[in-house]
Each structure stands twice: as structure tokens, then as C-alpha cells.
Amino acid sequence: MIWYVIPLAALFAWLLTAARLRRAATAEDFVPLPGRVLVLSASVGGGHDAAARALGGRLEESGLVVTVEDGLRAMSPALEVLLRRGYMNQARGSGRMLAFIFGLTSQRACVSVVRTLCGLLYAGRLRRLLLVHRPEMVISTYPLVTQALGKLRRRNLAPPVIAAIADYGVHPLWVHPDVDLHLVVSKHSAELVRQAGGRAEVVRFPVRPDLHQNLDRREARKTLKLPPEGRLALIVGGAWGIGDLETAARCVVGSGVHTVVVTGKNTALKERLGRAFSGRRDVTVFGWREDMPLLMAASDVLVQNAGGMTCLEAREAGLPIVMFDPVPGHGEFNALAMERAGAALWPRTAEELVSILESGAYRELRAPEPSRNTDPEDVLREIPRERPLPTAGSTPLRPVLAPLFALGMLVWLVFASPGAALAVETLHLKIPGYDPPPGEMALGIETSNPATASAAESFARRHGLPLTIFVRGKAGEGLVPARGVNFGLIARRGEGITSPWRSRAALKRTAEKLRRERGIRVRYLLPVPRTNLASLATAPRGMRPVAPEKPGMVGNGLVVIDASGMSPRAAREALRDAMAQAKTKGLECVPLGKL
């Protein structure tokens, strides 16, 4: 039944959003007010808002009437909260999901899906915002807002649309072919835009005016109560204090350079760093600061991990930039782009960072490359305000393909491993074996033979081996509770796909039978062939799905020996071999619950 409901729901959503866009297209005529500019941003990090304020301020100086709005919130308040919290959690954590999403959305097919869905779902809402403000031009500093505006511009339902990209690394999702112009910061960035199908112009991005005050270094240090002499490195992690700033600080301190760390609004990080460097005179930890130009004037080098407006402000202040341990995904991409443009150094290891700071190699960075039009205002005035209406039926299949793409993506996420990874990262679910601690492994064995299960259990007791025994069928009949031994069930291949509620009920009955007859508590579920969202849904309450290593591999994580068809003696030998391999590789066998 569910396979009929999902396509119908997707089709209904598509019809509803398409109808909204048609209503927007037939609404009252759009008559722009001369000299009015609408800048749309998003509060996902601080860089998008900073770029919007800087551009808006520069255009106001030229006599234009500028309004800055949160475009993402106008598209969907729920989406804005989800993206903001999700990005914050991931950027402050390992960032593995950020790298995964970044790589996935780098694919042309995925970009097309996201672009189409943003247009169908949110273009109508932005159209209503345009009707309220009636701008002569719209500037977007956030990618998803750019995609929705591109849909409107394609149908001639919006005034000229400009995408402002403050990062050197331009991701394909930040580009829309129907946007009139993409403002970028380097020739390398412009080439990335052109490769993604957009039109680009290199400009000198405006920054906050107080960066041009030529502040005296000694006075700046005196105001901040920093050492008047010696070199000083400024470490920042954006408004949210993202990245491993503690490791960066230890590297800088190790090079003999006075270290100033700005943790932004991350108060927990400020307190932790304050305790870690308590009593040290060569480390100063600040929280949120409004006087970044003063800090930059007092510093000799900036150590960053993401990019964006902070790097542009440092460039304008003449402060060399070193990218260290960049945020996975967009941070690494931006670090590479800045390195290629000669705007920053990117040491790959802590030793390289120390060497750069000790030698002063950061002083050799090139000056910003010139561009034909350095002022965004000059570039924007050249954009024509009119454009031909699109020809009817030029892309008739794209709206029809959107729900099909969305359905395909949903099915893929449900039955592919990345779906489980997404659940772990965004919902903070615990899946033993996923992202294990370094140097630790857990050992498991799967069998459907009661004698083999009993032999594995006795072997684990005799050798003090923390072991998890996964059983299917009648393999649990000869087992007894044992200290240090955990038990799990095996989901049959294909189980849970056609009738997940029946599979869940069957697993629950088996677990209850083992508890009642053998006194065994079943704690884990071994999905076959892989851990995915379907296996998470199938697992009964209190039973955790696990994520094992690839068959035949002994490495960091959960290693499960397939003893199907093995005799009890062969199963014992397989366990002994796995223990020997773990010892050779320096791995410690730990209970599965510790992974």
C-alpha cells in the first residue's frame, strides 16, 4: 500500500506547488520602483548576512534605497530553522555529513533536482515578497534563495537577479543559468561559475567601512590589552565558532606566536578554551566581538577554517590568511580555491602550519588580483532591466520530472547506506559500528546453527572476549546468558522492504521468546545486506541496528564473522584468527556498546 501512497503524495505536492506558481504568475503586474534594491540573505552562519549588509551599505552610499530581508525565512521558516540548526551541529561536530552533502550536491543531476524543487516549492513565496517591495533589482547571498529566484527570472516574473558569492570556491549549487550575473571575488571563481553554466563578473566586494581606517598596530594592541611587541596570530571560526580551534591554537602557540582565539557566539567553546589555556600569557580567548577590524589591525596573520566575508575583510585589511583544518566539504573546497588564487596558504598538517608561522612564509602571499570593474555598483548599472519572455514549451518536462526525481531520491535514501548516515548525523541516532573510536574494534559472529552459537559462546567465556552473537532461526535454542557476551538477531535478506510492520513483529516475537525461554536479552539487529533507513524502521524498540565492516575485513569498527555453514570447531578457529589479526594491527577488542 505504501508504494501507492508515496507517488500519489509526490504528485499532489507537485500539482499544489505548480498551481501556486501559476497564481503568482497571473497576479497583478510587477511594476518596480526606480532606485529600489532588495537584498535577500539567510541566517545560516554569519557570512551570508555579513555579505548582504556590506553590499547593501555600499549601494545605499550610491543613492539607492536598499532593503535587506531573510530570503530563506521568506521561503520557509521551517526550512530555515532546519538548515540553520543542522549546519551548526555539523560544523561544530565532525562535519562528515557536511562533506557528504557537499559531494552529493556537486553532481549535475542532484543540482538539477534541488534547483527544480526550490523553484516549484518556493518561487511563488518569493514572488509575493517581490510584489511587496517592488525592487528594481534583487541580490541574493544564499544559494537556495538564488535557485528559487532563478526560476522566477526564467519566467520573467522577477526583476534582474544578482547572486553575490563571497567565497573563492564556487559550488555548482550556488549558480543558476537564468540569474543575470554572479558577483565573485577572483578569476578562478568566475571560471567555476562559467563551468556551472552561469555568467560571472569579478568585483572587489565591499566590506565594513571601519576596515579602511588604517588603524595603528600599537594602538590597536594597547586597546585590546595585547602584547605591544612580537608576532600575533588571530584564529577565528566564524560567528558560530566552528572547527577545531583548540588544535589550531596549540599549533600556533607551539610556533612561538602569541595567539588570539575568537570563538564567536560559541560560549561553550570559549569556556573550554579558557580552561585549556588557563594561566598562559601567550593565549588570549575572546567570545563574540564587534570590533574585528581592531583585532585584524593588531594581528600579523589570520588563521581560518571556512572562508567567506572574514577572509575578504582580512584581505582588505592587508592581513595574510592561512587556512588550517578547514570545515569538511565547502571549507576544504574554498581553501583549495584560495590556495590556487594565491589568496591564502593551506598547510595540510600541524607541522606545516608551525613551519609557516615560524618562517613567516605567509608574508609572501600575492596582492588581490585586479578586475575590470572593481566596484559592484558599476557592474550592476550595466545589467539590462528587460529580458525577452521565455518561449512557450521550451522545457515542458522539467516540472513533470521534479516529483519523479524527488521520489527517486527518497527511495535511494531509504535503501542506501547514506540514509542511515544522514539519520545518525541529523537525528543523533546511535548506531554501533558507525564512526568508531580510533584503535577499537568489536567482534561479532552470525550463525543459524545452535551448536555453532554455543561453541562461540563458550569460546568467548573462556578467553574473556567481548563478543556479540547474532542468531537466526533456531540458533538461539542452546544459548545461555554469559558475562561479556551480547546477543542480536539477523534480519533476513529483503526483510522489511515489502512489509516492514510484519518484519518488525516477527523480530519482536523472536526476541521475546529468547528472553522468556533462555533469559537472553536481545540488544542488537544485524541488517542484511546493509544498514539503511529501512533497517532502522524495522528494528523493534530497544534493539539497535549495527553497522559492520565489510565482510572479511578486520579493522577499526564492528567485525562480524559469517559462520553460516561452519562447524563449531571452524567457528572457534575463525574467532581465534580475528583476535590475532586485531592484535597484529594494534586494535583493542571492546564490547559493541562502546563503539
Side-chain angles (χ1 to χ4, degrees):
M1 181 65 180
I2 189 171
W3 298 106
Y4 299 101
V5 173
I6 292 177
L8 289 175
L11 181 61
F12 176 76
W14 166 68
L15 291 173
L16 181 62
T17 53
R20 287 176 177 174
L21 193 56
R22 282 195 297 272
R23 284 198 299 271
T26 56
E28 60 181 295
D29 293 337
F30 183 87
V31 181
L33 298 176
R36 186 178 294 273
V37 177
L38 176 63
V39 182
L40 298 180
S41 179
S43 301
V44 182
H48 305 290
D49 286 336
R53 288 193 300 268
L55 278 169
R58 178 65 188 88
L59 295 176
E60 282 183 336
E61 290 176 2
S62 66
L64 298 174
V65 179
V66 180
T67 304
V68 179
E69 292 274 2
D70 192 316
L72 182 60
R73 188 174 303 161
M75 287 165 56
S76 170
L79 181 65
E80 187 260 341
V81 172
L82 178 65
L83 290 176
R84 175 163 46 83
R85 291 182 179 178
Y87 178 78
M88 182 189 298
N89 292 335
Q90 288 304 309
R92 289 181 175 178
S94 66
R96 289 182 56 170
M97 185 51 58
L98 286 179
F100 166 74
I101 294 174
F102 185 88
L104 179 64
T105 54
S106 297
Q107 306 301 314
R108 183 175 300 179
C110 188
V111 172
S112 179
V113 171
V114 175
R115 182 176 292 158
T116 303
L117 290 177
C118 282
L120 286 173
L121 295 175
Y122 304 120
R125 297 183 181 184
L126 290 186
R127 167 72 176 179
R128 290 195 289 272
L129 187 65
L130 296 180
L131 289 172
V132 171
H133 293 281
R134 298 186 181 279
E136 190 179 25
M137 180 179 296
V138 188
I139 300 176
S140 168
T141 65
Y142 188 68
L144 297 186
V145 176
T146 300
Q147 299 304 322
L149 288 173
K151 176 73 171 180
L152 291 175
R153 189 58 174 153
R154 180 179 183 81
R155 302 185 63 178
N156 209 21
L157 296 174
V161 175
I162 312 300
I165 304 174
D167 276 313
Y168 278 76
V170 180
H171 187 271
L173 194 59
W174 303 352
V175 178
H176 195 292
D178 293 302
V179 163
D180 293 81
L181 189 64
H182 300 77
L183 303 181
V184 295
V185 297
S186 74
K187 294 178 181 177
H188 178 68
S189 309
E191 180 59 30
L192 292 174
V193 171
R194 284 189 282 270
Q195 291 175 7
R199 178 184 168 219
E201 188 74 41
V202 181
V203 298
R204 189 170 186 174
F205 259 69
V207 295
R208 45 201 302 173
D210 43 5
L211 279 167
H212 301 293
Q213 293 178 358
N214 296 320
L215 300 172
D216 180 73
R217 177 162 297 183
R218 280 184 169 272
E219 288 298 320
R221 292 190 179 188
K222 182 179 179 180
T223 303
L224 295 167
K225 298 180 180 179
L226 296 172
E229 302 294 338
R231 291 182 298 161
L232 188 148
L234 175 63
I235 302 176
V236 298
W240 291 344
I242 62 177
D244 190 358
L245 301 189
E246 182 174 352
T247 298
R250 294 192 184 281
C251 292
V252 175
V253 170
S255 67
V257 178
H258 188 94
T259 307
V260 176
V261 186
V262 179
T263 63
K265 298 178 181 179
N266 193 340
T267 55
L269 176 62
K270 181 178 183 297
E271 294 174 0
R272 188 170 78 246
L273 294 183
R275 292 190 298 267
F277 296 103
S278 176
R280 297 205 59 145
R281 295 185 177 181
D282 54 355
V283 179
T284 305
V285 181
F286 290 126
W288 175 255
R289 304 288 297 196
E290 296 285 354
D291 55 354
M292 284 301 293
L294 191 66
L295 283 165
M296 290 183 178
S299 304
D300 295 281
V301 60
L302 172 71
V303 180
Q304 241 269 26
N305 58 24
M309 285 300 294
T310 302
C311 287
L312 297 186
E313 291 172 353
R315 190 180 75 171
E316 290 294 330
L319 186 63
I321 304 168
V322 177
M323 302 295 289
F324 177 68
D325 192 23
V327 176
H330 78 283
E332 294 174 340
F333 185 60
N334 191 59
L336 180 62
M338 293 187 71
E339 183 182 53
R340 290 179 175 175
L345 297 177
W346 181 16
R348 268 56 170 190
T349 64
E351 291 76 15
E352 289 184 30
L353 174 62
V354 172
S355 175
I356 287 172
L357 294 176
E358 287 179 342
S359 65
Y362 52 82
R363 300 191 187 101
E364 301 175 5
L365 289 172
R366 300 197 306 267
E369 54 186 282
S371 59
R372 181 178 63 84
N373 293 297
T374 59
D375 196 323
E377 179 196 354
D378 297 335
V379 176
L380 299 183
R381 290 190 184 279
E382 297 178 6
I383 298 175
R385 299 303 190 260
E386 300 288 339
R387 73 184 300 176
L389 287 171
T391 57
S394 57
T395 55
L397 291 179
R398 291 184 66 182
V400 179
L401 292 176
L404 299 180
F405 275 126
L407 179 60
M409 185 66 69
L410 175 64
V411 172
W412 179 75
L413 282 175
V414 168
F415 297 109
S417 299
L422 183 65
V424 169
E425 299 290 350
T426 58
L427 303 179
H428 305 290
L429 298 180
K430 175 67 174 176
I431 299 182
Y434 176 83
D435 194 17
E440 295 183 358
M441 64 164 286
L443 191 57
I445 188 169
E446 60 171 289
T447 180
S448 55
N449 186 338
T452 302
S454 297
E457 183 184 47
S458 61
F459 179 89
R461 280 202 310 267
R462 186 163 57 251
H463 292 84
L465 173 67
L467 181 68
T468 303
I469 301 176
F470 298 96
V471 297
R472 65 159 59 92
K474 298 182 179 181
E477 293 181 355
L479 298 176
V480 294
R483 184 178 181 84
V485 178
N486 292 314
F487 300 94
L489 296 178
I490 305 171
R492 293 188 297 273
R493 182 176 295 274
E495 194 165 27
I497 293 181
T498 56
S499 54
W501 54 90
R502 293 182 182 177
S503 302
R504 184 185 180 98
L507 289 168
K508 186 176 180 181
R509 286 195 300 270
T510 303
E512 180 61 25
K513 181 179 179 181
L514 287 173
R515 186 196 64 80
R516 185 177 61 253
E517 297 181 358
R518 314 300 302 178
I520 291 174
R521 180 190 173 195
V522 178
R523 300 178 59 185
Y524 302 107
L525 174 68
L526 180 64
V528 177
R530 65 179 64 87
T531 306
N532 50 33
L533 288 178
S535 64
L536 294 178
T538 302
R541 184 177 180 181
M543 197 182 302
R544 289 182 180 176
V546 298
E549 292 284 330
K550 294 180 180 179
M553 294 181 60
V554 174
N556 192 43
L558 170 60
V559 178
V560 179
I561 298 171
D562 186 359
S564 303
M566 285 189 184
S567 66
R569 180 176 180 179
R572 288 192 294 266
E573 290 299 322
L575 288 171
R576 189 174 286 110
D577 289 345
M579 290 176 61
Q581 291 184 49
K583 185 177 181 180
T584 302
K585 295 182 178 182
L587 299 172
E588 178 188 2
C589 287
V590 299
L592 181 54
K594 287 192 64 177
L595 290 186

